[in-house]
Amino acid sequence: MSLNTTPSAERLHIGFFGLRNAGKSSLVNRFTGQQVSLVSEIKGTTTDAVKKTMELLPLGPVVIIDTAGYDDEGTLGEMRVQATLQALGSCDIALLVTENEKLLPPEEELLSLIKGKDIPYLIVHNKADLLEAQSAENIYVSAETGEGIDALKETVARLLGNKTKEIHFIGDFINAGDTVILVCPIDESAPKGRMILPQQLAIRDVLDKGALAYTVQPEQLTQAINNLSAPPALVVTDSQAFGRVMKMVPESIPLTSFSILMARYKGFLDAALKGANALDNLQNGAKILISEGCTHHRQCNDIGTVKMPGWLKNYTGKELEFEFTSGHTFPESLDDYDLIVHCGGCMLGDAEMKNRQLTAEKQNVPFTNYGTVIAKMSGILDRSTQILNK
């Protein structure tokens, strides 16, 4: 992948949904101008969700998602439907593709699910060249002839135009000429040969502001501060290093973490703060879901499955139960859980992270993330969020 490629998590996600043989895959191929999905007269050709990155002008970089038919049948069919519903949670807009003049009952059911997730949507009538009646409220296209495709793209771009991100990662808190120290441990959990997305976002914001980025490991932090002729405007640390870093950074210097900034950037910081404070109310036997957006080889000292459970037990002094999910897997029903502790979500799009937070909110389950809960357990939650309130 090119170093200049926009990460998938930073792209708006456009999903194509509908029944089998509604022409979703043909429409995706016509929409992207590429052979993204297999097309066949046989129902159920599309199984797992198929994703394709592209540039949708004037909107910018997007991810196109083709999904299995909502009416798929049998044991495998049910699994495909679940994969389709999982994909729905990651979409910034859903296109409900139908070949009918009026929606069939399963299509109405699917539309109800889309509305229930508060996702913008369009009803797209495919095979428009074969339909007699057309409503001004909906979009009519033909994957076969290309009719209406440009109008569909323009409508999608217009509806998503107000979802382009305006918030900075740290640019709100710094000025030209400021120095920012970024504490980036290179340990067993650091990806080999690259920087993780929050670190990339921070560095880019610093450059855009005309400020100076000083990138160090925890062992170099004191030297870095002493080397400066004036205190840094901000220190941002990896959450796992909070315990060490807080002792090195004077109270007069603003300090926060990449994960806390990520919660703000993804739009769920308020929920994360409330979720972290819910730690104080946990009782013996409480069940906690620890969820990560990426899938990776588990290290012997893995943060999600090893470190975090240990930290939570030590902080609360309670006997706690834990379950774990990773990747795009996240349960729809959260009735069994007393708390959700999520990773920073840098590998997930904004819509997917917000959907997970809202799913928890609707079921009255506290939701937080690694950095926020680590700050809580380290006793510096107020300090690490002070700069965000300015």
Side-chain angles (χ1 to χ4, degrees), residues 78-357:
E78 291 178 5
M79 296 172 65
R80 293 167 183 164
V81 171
Q82 287 304 310
T84 292
L85 296 179
Q86 199 82 51
L88 180 60
S90 68
C91 290
D92 293 282
I93 189 169
L95 308 188
L96 176 52
V97 182
T98 178
E99 61 179 352
N100 306 298
E101 294 180 4
K102 293 184 178 180
L103 295 184
L104 300 176
E107 293 171 321
E108 293 281 6
E109 182 178 309
L110 178 55
L111 180 59
S112 178
L113 291 173
I114 293 171
K115 291 179 178 179
K117 289 187 176 291
D118 299 322
I119 300 172
Y121 68 91
L122 285 173
I123 298 175
V124 182
H125 295 267
N126 192 20
K127 307 178 184 179
D129 48 319
L130 304 178
L131 297 177
E132 294 182 3
Q134 296 192 6
S135 167
E137 298 178 0
N138 300 330
I139 301 293
Y140 291 82
V141 301
S142 171
E144 178 70 25
T145 66
E147 176 187 346
I149 298 298
D150 287 342
L152 174 60
K153 290 182 180 180
E154 291 169 2
T155 303
V156 169
R158 176 172 52 80
L159 290 176
L160 289 179
N162 62 354
K163 299 198 74 172
T164 52
K165 188 168 291 185
E166 296 180 358
I167 188 172
H168 295 283
F169 193 71
I170 61 172
D172 313 61
F173 316 124
I174 57 177
N175 299 303
D178 283 346
T179 297
V180 178
I181 297 181
L182 307 176
V183 184
C184 307
I186 304 299
D187 52 24
E188 72 275 4
S189 62
K192 187 175 178 61
R194 65 180 179 86
M195 307 291 283
I196 61 174
L197 181 61
Q199 296 165 354
Q200 296 176 40
L201 292 171
I203 292 172
R204 181 55 194 256
D205 263 12
V206 171
L207 293 173
D208 286 344
K209 276 287 185 174
L212 306 172
Y214 208 154
T215 307
V216 302
Q217 297 193 54
E219 298 78 17
Q220 304 165 315
L221 177 56
T222 298
Q223 178 186 349
I225 294 175
N226 292 337
N227 283 350
L228 296 175
S229 58
L234 176 65
V235 175
V236 184
T237 181
D238 183 276
S239 299
Q240 293 188 68
F242 246 145
R244 287 181 288 167
V245 169
M246 62 183 284
K247 298 173 184 177
M248 304 180 201
V249 180
E251 290 279 349
S252 58
I253 298 175
L255 170 66
T256 190
S257 77
F258 291 106
S259 192
I260 288 175
L261 290 170
M262 204 66 185
R264 173 181 177 267
Y265 189 69
K266 294 286 186 181
F268 65 94
L269 178 59
D270 288 344
L273 294 173
K274 292 178 182 177
N277 286 321
L279 282 182
D280 297 332
N281 300 321
L282 294 178
Q283 303 298 318
N284 282 324
K287 195 170 186 179
I288 299 175
L289 174 65
I290 297 180
S291 186
E292 295 191 334
C294 59
T295 55
H296 58 267
H297 175 68
R298 300 289 184 187
Q299 304 288 334
C300 60
N301 208 22
D302 180 66
I303 182 173
T305 57
V306 179
K307 291 182 180 179
M308 187 61 70
W311 291 334
L312 290 168
K313 286 181 179 179
N314 288 338
Y315 176 81
T316 62
K318 306 294 184 182
E319 288 298 321
L320 305 173
E321 297 181 31
F322 297 93
E323 286 190 2
F324 308 92
T325 64
S326 61
H328 293 286
T329 300
F330 190 80
E332 284 290 325
S333 176
L334 302 173
D335 292 342
D336 292 339
Y337 305 110
D338 298 285
L339 177 66
I340 313 295
V341 180
H342 207 288
C343 70
C346 60
M347 298 301 292
L348 302 177
D350 293 3
E352 187 162 4
M353 278 302 298
K354 193 64 178 176
N355 176 67
R356 293 183 178 196
Q357 182 259 309

